Amino acid sequence: MNGELLLQFVQNIILLMSLAVVYSVFRNNQFFHPIFRKILMGFMVSIIVVTIMRSPIPILEGTQFDTRAVVLSLSGIFLGLIPTIMGAFFASLQRISDGGAGAFTGVIWIIVSSIMGLVYRQFRLKKEESHSVKISWIELYVFGLVVQVVMVLLLFLLPRDIVFETINIVAFPLLVIYPIGSLFVAMFMLIQRKAYFNEIQITESEIQYRNLFNKSKSNLLLVNPENGNIVDVNETSMDTYGYSFEEFTSLNVNNVIVTTKENFTTPLSSYTDGVNQQMSQKHKKKNGKIFDVEVHSGLIQLDGKTFLYLTIIDVSQKMENMRLFKDADEQLKTTLLSVGEGIVVSDEHHRITLINDKAMSLLGLTQHPNRKKVFEVIRLYSNNIEKSFEELYIEALETGNVYRSDNSFQLLSPDDLGGFVEFTISPIQGESETTHGGVLVLRDVTIDKERQEEIQFMSQHDFLTNLYNRYHFEQEMKRLDVVRQLPISIIISDANGLKLLNDSLGHLEGDKLLKEISQIIQRATRSEDIVARWGGDEFTVLLPQTTNSDALKVVNRIHDLADKSLFNIIKPSISIGLATKTSELQDLNIILKQAEEIMYENKANEGKRARRMFLDRFIELNSTRLKDYETHVNNMEQITKKYASFYNLSEHDTEHLVLLTRFHDIGLIAIPPEIINHPGSLDDFEWSKVKTHPDVSSRIIAAVPQFQHLSEELLYHHENVDGTGYPNGVKLDEIPHNSRLLRIIDSYESMTSDKVYKQKMSHDEAITELLKYAGTYYDTEEVKRFIKIFEKTT
């Protein structure tokens, strides 16, 4: 680039400074309406940009360059929309009138640079409070450089034959000189802008101070802190003290103070820590009347000077009320300290002035919380009340209304939740209905609350399983039977084999099975599902917003958990029915009935298999816990089959006898193994336990429909024909034939096998023993028939 062209660029930048002058002149001009001021600035911007364009830097024929992009981008940033649009409009007209090959590109320059400046203003300069935006010179330089980079890129819109030649000529000034010139102008305008907003802030602060000062209902004095002279007062102070403004401002603050321990004049250095002070004093009015005041003092900056700002509150009535209240207060303290409930008394500022031993104990305090605020020491929480304890306390004292709580408030400690309390908040009021404080009465209701919750829990839950009871389930059916809960599925289930377990091992073991099944169902369902014990061995589950297919997954989980159960007596078996309500027109009670019917159908199919499985389990348990049990049963089966074969009994009768031998001692499951396995003689208690096993065997078999026909014969298989047997002591004609035969086979096998309590006999010795007691223990005819089965083979 030649020197003449460079000089023209520099002249353009110098002309650019006129934009900063315009901004400086018009930024805070109060002679024009803001809109007129914007329009006037727009004309000035137009004049500047047109002037610049009329002194262009010619490059090639039909192309010219100047600082218009800088002018319009900075106008967009600092002057705003109206001046920038006006400047862009007149600049575009000028460029169009100049014509040439670069006219189109020149107009695009104008529009793009204006938009870039306005966008920067909107999203950066005005993003925060204008006077607080932190914009560095680096940022302004980068912005100016970006503008010029964009301008260089726009040169590609020129005719192809001059594009690269033009860029080669102007690239250096545009990318080096113009950004620096833009930076200087922008920094000047930014400094002016910050000064402008600082002036506004100062002006607004002083106006605000003056308005607050004059309109305040408090007594306000402005004092020179170096000598105590009164500089300014508000109208409230003049009315209170009776002085005119001129009289007041001629006084020293010590002239209104009656008693002080030291001269009020305070060195300014003692206030440099910025801490406000408060003191009680007696002041004197112009008429000589003395009254009590509270003085709050602090430093304030006005017009670059430091003053003491005094707020003076007339507390004469308050002091009088306190004097009147003092005697009553002493009597109240004596009373409150002796009552049996927790008492906490506070002043009008909510600071604790009295607390009795009961409250200290209830709150777990070891030291007196003197002068601490009530809600700093006492923290109460309730799910039923939206307002906090602090809000309730303050509201009661402000309104003068007594607040009485329910028993839902719980004490909070730093470590854990405490007990429940009921409380009342009673304002303390004087004759003029001025609130002087409050009395908080606390009563410990933790035990009452626990009893109430226990009663409520018992009314809704089954005592054995802790599941919901039938009544609560039915209430939940009514509550959840709404459209928004559809589909609603119901599962009803029945515990198979409960009667077997109750009859064999007692109801305690049956209860354990019910608890195990209840836990299985709970683990298989969601927390929002309603699981209840419907009654006896039946359970119900209410599943809101659950499709039939999703509910079927719950059913499968129940079965899976039952199969995996570690319950050590029998494997839980559960028959389940499922039905789903999908339309609001359906009756949910009918859905429940459908689920129940399905459950009974499944129980009919599953129950038989489950009960047989339980019988096999009892036999397995007896074999495990009782010595020689399995051997004894197997030997008896062999003898029974030999008897049936000898007398050519039918297959049905043979199977009948074999089942009797297999199940005759199944009732031993209910007797402790240490009794059965006892090597010596049994005492009366132990023997009484052994005598119960026929009855238990009978009841177990009676609970299994396919074996019920064996029940009576099993009951009597230890009866003697002379009536001395057990469990009922019946005689010959009352004892079923198969029971009498089973008695003989059982005795013969026991005598000919080793037992823990005796040695075995020989065959002949056992036969002799049977014949010896024929007619007393055993049926004589049946003994003869039994003996013959051995004679044939010997």
Side-chain angles (χ1 to χ4, degrees), residues 600-642:
Y600 283 130
E601 291 178 7
N602 292 333
K603 187 173 181 65
N605 298 325
E606 299 168 359
K608 182 178 180 180
R609 182 174 66 255
R611 285 186 288 270
R612 183 55 193 261
M613 179 184 70
F614 294 157
L615 287 181
D616 292 341
R617 175 60 178 162
F618 287 162
I619 293 173
E620 179 186 348
L621 287 173
N622 276 339
S623 299
T624 302
R625 58 201 288 273
L626 306 178
K627 294 180 179 179
D628 303 323
Y629 176 86
E630 187 174 1
T631 302
H632 173 63
V633 172
N634 290 338
N635 289 342
M636 282 187 65
E637 280 194 31
Q638 296 302 317
I639 296 171
T640 300
K641 290 178 180 178
K642 185 174 184 179

Side-chain angles (χ1 to χ4, degrees), residues 49 66-74 109 113-114 147-148 151:
V49 74
D66 47 54
T67 56
R68 81 190 87 145
V70 178
V71 172
L72 292 172
S73 62
L74 293 180
W109 266 36
S113 61
S114 300
V147 170
Q148 297 309 319
M151 295 304 107

Side-chain angles (χ1 to χ4, degrees), residues 657-668:
L657 284 174
V658 169
L659 288 175
L660 284 175
T661 59
R662 186 173 301 161
F663 296 137
H664 78 288
D665 274 346
I666 198 171
L668 293 175

Side-chain angles (χ1 to χ4, degrees), residues 343-347 349-355 363 365 368-378 393:
I343 303 294
V344 181
V345 181
S346 72
D347 60 18
H349 301 298
H350 316 130
R351 293 188 294 261
I352 296 174
T353 58
L354 182 145
I355 183 169
L363 299 173
L365 300 176
H368 193 290
N370 192 33
R371 306 307 292 171
K372 289 185 179 179
K373 291 190 175 183
V374 172
F375 27 79
E376 293 176 349
V377 176
I378 303 172
Y393 196 88

Side-chain angles (χ1 to χ4, degrees), residues 430-636:
E431 294 181 359
S432 61
E433 297 186 355
T434 302
T435 299
H436 302 291
V439 177
L440 175 67
V441 180
L442 297 163
R443 186 168 73 88
D444 188 353
V445 294
T446 303
I447 296 177
D448 296 342
K449 178 77 172 176
E450 290 174 351
R451 287 175 179 171
Q452 179 183 352
E453 291 177 349
E454 182 179 352
I455 292 172
Q456 183 177 3
F457 183 88
M458 291 174 62
S459 70
Q460 296 178 344
H461 291 77
D462 171 58
F463 74 96
L464 176 65
T465 63
N466 283 338
L467 298 179
Y468 289 119
N469 57 24
R470 180 168 183 164
Y471 172 78
H472 183 76
F473 186 88
E474 291 174 342
Q475 296 302 310
E476 289 297 289
M477 282 180 61
K478 296 176 183 178
R479 182 179 69 85
L480 295 172
D481 191 10
V482 292
V483 175
R484 63 185 177 83
Q485 296 293 348
L486 292 176
I488 303 175
S489 294
I490 294 180
I491 293 173
I492 185 164
S493 59
D494 182 277
N496 295 318
L498 180 64
K499 180 172 174 54
L500 268 174
L501 200 58
N502 286 337
D503 291 343
S504 59
L505 298 180
H507 285 80
L508 290 179
E509 293 299 329
D511 289 347
K512 291 179 182 178
L513 176 63
L514 289 175
K515 291 179 181 179
E516 175 70 9
I517 292 175
S518 71
Q519 293 171 6
I520 288 171
I521 297 174
Q522 282 183 302
R523 290 197 298 270
T525 52
R526 305 167 300 186
S527 60
E528 62 265 29
D529 297 331
I530 309 300
V531 182
R533 185 181 179 191
W534 189 247
D537 54 1
E538 292 184 355
F539 300 86
T540 50
V541 184
L542 187 64
L543 302 101
Q545 298 182 3
T546 305
T547 63
N548 190 269
S549 60
D550 287 338
L552 186 59
K553 295 177 183 177
V554 176
V555 172
N556 293 334
R557 283 201 297 271
I558 292 173
H559 284 311
D560 183 60
L561 290 171
D563 290 340
K564 296 176 180 177
S565 172
L566 299 178
F567 191 65
N568 61 355
I569 302 299
I570 59 175
K571 186 74 70 176
S573 173
I574 308 170
S575 297
I576 299 176
L578 165 65
T580 303
K581 174 176 178 176
T582 57
S583 168
E584 60 179 313
L585 300 178
Q586 293 174 290
D587 188 336
L588 194 57
N589 288 297
I590 293 178
I591 300 298
L592 175 64
K593 187 67 176 176
Q594 292 173 355
E596 189 175 35
E597 291 172 355
I598 294 172
M599 182 270 290
Y600 283 130
E601 291 178 7
N602 292 333
K603 187 173 181 65
N605 298 325
E606 299 168 359
K608 182 178 180 180
R609 182 174 66 255
R611 285 186 288 270
R612 183 55 193 261
M613 179 184 70
F614 294 157
L615 287 181
D616 292 341
R617 175 60 178 162
F618 287 162
I619 293 173
E620 179 186 348
L621 287 173
N622 276 339
S623 299
T624 302
R625 58 201 288 273
L626 306 178
K627 294 180 179 179
D628 303 323
Y629 176 86
E630 187 174 1
T631 302
H632 173 63
V633 172
N634 290 338
N635 289 342
M636 282 187 65

Side-chain angles (χ1 to χ4, degrees), residues 271-466:
Y271 290 94
T272 54
D273 58 1
V275 178
N276 294 337
Q277 296 188 15
Q278 176 183 337
M279 62 194 75
S280 297
Q281 295 179 336
K282 291 183 180 296
H283 280 198
K284 180 173 61 176
K285 299 182 181 181
K286 182 178 180 180
N287 61 10
K289 183 178 179 180
I290 297 173
F291 63 107
D292 294 297
V293 297
E294 280 185 0
V295 179
H296 300 263
S297 63
L299 295 177
I300 186 172
Q301 297 286 334
L302 293 172
D303 296 330
K305 297 181 180 179
T306 302
F307 296 94
L308 278 177
Y309 187 81
L310 305 182
T311 302
I312 302 171
I313 302 172
D314 185 349
V315 294
S316 300
Q317 186 61 48
K318 173 184 171 182
M319 298 298 292
E320 179 62 23
N321 291 339
M322 289 179 63
R323 283 190 286 270
L324 293 174
F325 187 72
K326 187 174 182 180
D327 291 341
D329 184 50
E330 290 299 324
Q331 294 177 4
L332 177 65
K333 286 182 181 179
T334 303
T335 303
L336 296 182
L337 287 172
S338 62
V339 300
E341 294 179 322
I343 303 294
V344 181
V345 181
S346 72
D347 60 18
E348 67 271 28
H349 301 298
H350 316 130
R351 293 188 294 261
I352 296 174
T353 58
L354 182 145
I355 183 169
N356 67 355
D357 292 341
K358 181 66 177 181
M360 293 277 288
S361 173
L362 188 60
L363 299 173
L365 300 176
T366 56
Q367 294 182 345
H368 193 290
N370 192 33
R371 306 307 292 171
K372 289 185 179 179
K373 291 190 175 183
V374 172
F375 27 79
E376 293 176 349
V377 176
I378 303 172
R379 297 169 60 240
L380 296 170
Y381 171 76
S382 173
N383 282 323
N384 301 336
I385 307 298
E386 292 183 359
K387 295 181 180 179
S388 66
F389 171 67
E390 178 178 350
E391 291 172 326
L392 294 173
Y393 196 88
I394 293 174
E395 183 179 298
L397 268 60
E398 288 180 347
T399 61
N401 297 324
V402 175
Y403 176 81
R404 292 180 174 84
S405 76
D406 57 17
N407 63 357
S408 66
F409 281 85
Q410 194 168 11
L411 285 167
L412 299 177
S413 67
D415 301 326
D416 202 353
L417 295 174
F420 288 88
V421 296
E422 287 180 349
F423 62 89
T424 58
I425 305 170
S426 303
I428 303 172
Q429 295 182 325
E431 294 181 359
S432 61
E433 297 186 355
T434 302
T435 299
H436 302 291
V439 177
L440 175 67
V441 180
L442 297 163
R443 186 168 73 88
D444 188 353
V445 294
T446 303
I447 296 177
D448 296 342
K449 178 77 172 176
E450 290 174 351
R451 287 175 179 171
Q452 179 183 352
E453 291 177 349
E454 182 179 352
I455 292 172
Q456 183 177 3
F457 183 88
M458 291 174 62
S459 70
Q460 296 178 344
H461 291 77
D462 171 58
F463 74 96
L464 176 65
T465 63
N466 283 338

